[in-house]
Amino acid sequence: MKKPLTMASAALLALSISAASVSAADVSTETPVTRGQFIQQVADYLQLSPQNGGAPLPLDISAQSPYAGPVQALIERQIIDGYPDGTFRPDQPITGPEAGYILARFLGFEDASALERLEQKFDIRFDSEAVVLPDAAQQAIRASLASDSKIREWLKQSSVKQAELKSFKVDMDQNMKIRLAPGRAETAGMETTVRSASLFDLAKGMHISMSMAVPGESKPMEMEQYILPGGSYMRLPGAETGEGTWVNTTKQMPFTFEQLIQLQKDSVSLNQSLMNNSFFYRDLGTEQLDGRTMKKIEINGKLHDFKQILSALGSAMNDPSMVQSLTESSDLQNLSLSMNGTMWVDEATQLTAKMETTMSIRYDASETMPLEGMDMIITAVYKNLNEPVEIVLPEAAKNAPEVAAKMPAIEAEPAAASASQ
C-alpha cells in the first residue's frame, strides 16, 4: 500500500497545553531539542490542535502524553507520519533535516528541495546530522512560519477591491506536467504549455481562448469557451479540418455563471479563511511595474486534503449546495494542493496586477482518475480593470449539441510487464 504523501496546513483552534507539557522554556539552551519538543513548539507557535481526533497516535505516544495533541495535529495535516515500526520516538533528539522537513511541509516545499529552499528564502541552515538546540529551533520556526500581520490585513482590503471588479482581462501562461498512475502505457506522463486570454464581465459572462501545445503535434490545439448567464459553450478542435466544433457544455459545468459570480462575491471570506488556515505571507517590499508602484508579496502554503479545500469553500459560500457535487466525488477525496508564488498588487488601487505561481496537485489515482498529480508554473497578468470588454457568443455556438451530463469513465491501461506486483 502506498505511503500517504506528507502535506501541510495550519488550523484555527488554539491548543490547550497541559501542565505537564514541555516547551522550549523548560529545557536548557545547551540541551538538544527532542522530536516531541520540536513538534510541541511548532504546534504552540501556530496554535494547532487536532481537527477531528481521528488520526491514530503512534505506538509510543499515549493519549495522556503531553505530546499527544501536537503529534495528532501534525499527523492529521500529513506533516509527520513516524517511523515504519509505528513509533514516533518523542524523546529522541531531532536532527537538522528532520526539523527542516517539518517546517518546509507547512510551506508546501517538496522534501527533495526543502533544506535548500529554507536556506535560500529564510537563511535557515540545518546541518545534515547535527542535533538542534532550543534557540536555533525557535529562530527557525519564527523565521519560516511567520505570516506578516500587516500584509494579511492589507490583502483582506485588497480582496474587497478585487471582488468589486466589474470587468477585466487576464493573459495567462501555464506550463504543466501531468503525472499518470503507474501501470499505464504513458507512465512518464506528459508536459504541455497552455496560453490563454480571458475576458470577464459581471453582466455578460466570460470568454476564454486557449492554445495548448500537444506533445508530438506540430501545431498547437486551439480551444474556446464561453461561460454565460444562459449556459456554457466550448469549441473543440476538429480532428481533420482543425476548424473546431461547438458543443453545449452547460450540463458539464460544476458551477453556473451566476454561481461563479457568487464565488467572486464570497472571495473575501474565502481569502480570509485561507490566510488564517493554510498559507504564509511575506512582504517583499515594493517594485515598479509599468510605471506603477507595486506591493510585492510572497505566498507559501498547502491544503493537505480535499476536505480542507471544501471546508474553506463551504465557510466562504452563502450557498452550501454549490460544493455538494464536489463533496460526493470520491476521486477527489485525497486531493492536495501546494502553492508557492509571488503577487504584485497596485499600491494605489489595491488590485492585483501580476502573479507568478508554482502549484502542485496530488491525487490518489483510480480507474476514473488515472492521475497521480499535476505540477504547474503559472504566470498571470491582469489588465483593463473595470474597462469595457466585448463578449458575444458566436452564432455557430447557439444551437450546438449538448454534451452528456457525466463524462465516461476512463479505463486504466493494462499494467506494464516490468511493473512491480
Side-chain angles (χ1 to χ4, degrees):
M1 189 175 189
K2 186 172 72 173
K3 185 178 179 180
L5 291 171
T6 52
M7 300 297 177
S9 70
L12 291 171
L13 301 177
L15 177 65
S16 297
I17 307 301
S18 69
S21 64
V22 181
S23 67
D26 298 322
V27 296
S28 166
T29 56
E30 299 300 322
T31 303
V33 174
T34 66
R35 289 163 54 84
Q37 289 167 353
F38 188 78
I39 294 300
Q40 177 80 72
Q41 291 173 25
V42 171
D44 285 353
Y45 185 75
L46 294 177
Q47 296 186 322
L48 299 185
S49 64
Q51 295 174 310
N52 52 40
L57 287 167
L59 297 176
D60 54 351
I61 301 287
S62 70
Q64 292 73 40
S65 168
Y67 304 124
V71 167
Q72 192 169 55
L74 268 66
I75 289 176
E76 287 180 348
R77 292 161 178 81
Q78 300 184 28
I79 303 297
I80 59 174
D81 48 20
Y83 287 93
D85 63 0
T87 64
F88 178 68
R89 306 175 193 175
D91 298 324
Q92 179 175 297
I94 193 167
T95 67
E98 288 174 342
Y101 294 145
I102 288 170
L103 300 179
R105 288 167 186 171
F106 276 104
L107 297 166
F109 300 161
E110 297 289 344
D111 285 355
S113 60
L115 302 184
E116 179 182 358
R117 296 185 74 174
L118 286 174
E119 183 174 348
Q120 289 175 346
K121 289 184 174 293
F122 307 106
D123 198 28
I124 297 172
R125 296 175 173 84
F126 287 120
D127 294 335
S128 59
E129 298 298 332
V131 295
V132 181
L133 297 179
D135 284 348
Q138 287 289 347
Q139 290 173 11
I141 292 169
R142 290 169 181 163
S144 59
L145 302 184
S147 202
D148 192 305
S149 59
K150 292 183 179 179
I151 284 295
R152 283 192 179 196
E153 187 59 37
W154 198 85
L155 283 174
K156 290 177 186 177
Q157 299 170 15
S158 175
S159 295
V160 174
K161 301 285 187 181
Q162 205 77 25
E164 292 173 348
L165 278 174
K166 298 292 190 283
S167 60
F168 60 84
K169 298 180 180 180
V170 57
D171 293 332
M172 186 176 297
D173 288 345
Q174 302 176 71
N175 295 314
M176 298 188 294
K177 182 175 182 179
I178 299 172
R179 301 176 183 272
L180 298 175
R184 293 189 61 84
E186 314 89 342
T187 52
M190 67 176 187
E191 296 187 32
T192 186
T193 300
V194 179
R195 291 188 173 183
S196 64
S198 302
L199 305 177
F200 170 84
D201 186 279
L202 186 61
K204 300 175 184 177
M206 296 178 65
H207 176 213
I208 307 167
S209 300
M210 292 174 284
S211 178
M212 177 184 294
V214 180
E217 298 291 335
S218 58
K219 294 183 178 180
M221 181 186 297
E222 305 290 342
M223 293 176 287
E224 196 172 358
Q225 185 175 25
Y226 285 85
I227 305 174
L228 308 175
S232 302
Y233 307 85
M234 181 175 287
R235 180 174 61 83
L236 301 173
E240 297 179 0
T241 64
E243 292 298 322
T245 302
W246 283 99
V247 293
N248 184 327
T249 57
T250 303
K251 293 181 179 180
Q252 282 284 326
M253 295 297 292
F255 302 124
T256 65
F257 177 71
E258 290 77 9
Q259 287 175 322
L260 289 174
I261 295 302
Q262 187 61 49
L263 274 176
Q264 183 192 19
K265 293 179 180 178
D266 293 339
S267 64
V268 176
S269 297
L270 177 60
N271 289 341
Q272 182 173 349
S273 176
L274 293 178
M275 276 188 236
N276 289 340
N277 294 337
S278 309
F279 293 94
F280 302 86
Y281 298 82
R282 286 204 303 157
D283 187 351
L284 301 182
T286 60
E287 186 173 300
Q288 294 296 308
L289 184 65
D290 297 329
R292 295 176 292 167
T293 301
M294 298 289 164
K295 187 178 288 291
K296 192 175 177 182
I297 301 166
E298 182 181 57
I299 308 169
N300 297 293
K302 179 171 286 188
L303 296 167
H304 71 277
D305 64 23
F306 196 59
K307 289 181 180 178
Q308 188 187 6
I309 297 172
L310 289 179
S311 176
L313 287 172
S315 66
M317 291 181 183
N318 293 322
D319 182 5
S321 66
M322 292 173 64
V323 298
Q324 184 62 36
S325 61
L326 298 177
T327 305
E328 296 169 353
S329 175
S330 59
D331 289 329
L332 299 177
Q333 296 309 305
N334 292 313
L335 177 148
S336 63
L337 181 150
S338 64
M339 183 173 73
N340 308 106
T342 306
M343 60 191 301
W344 288 258
V345 184
D346 191 316
E347 278 203 324
T349 65
Q350 290 189 298
L351 295 173
T352 302
K354 181 180 178 182
M355 289 190 70
E356 292 181 351
T357 308
T358 299
M359 298 180 67
S360 292
I361 300 173
R362 295 290 180 266
Y363 309 90
D364 273 358
S366 66
E367 289 187 1
T368 55
M369 180 73 75
L371 306 177
E372 281 200 329
M374 183 184 303
D375 299 321
M376 296 175 284
I377 300 174
I378 304 171
T379 299
V381 178
Y382 297 84
K383 48 192 178 182
N384 298 97
L385 306 182
N386 284 326
E387 296 180 7
V389 296
E390 192 68 22
I391 300 176
V392 179
L393 184 67
E395 289 295 325
K398 293 181 179 179
N399 298 316
E402 290 187 355
V403 179
K406 291 185 178 181
M407 295 290 284
I410 302 173
E411 295 184 3
E413 297 286 345
S418 59
S420 59
Q421 300 297 316

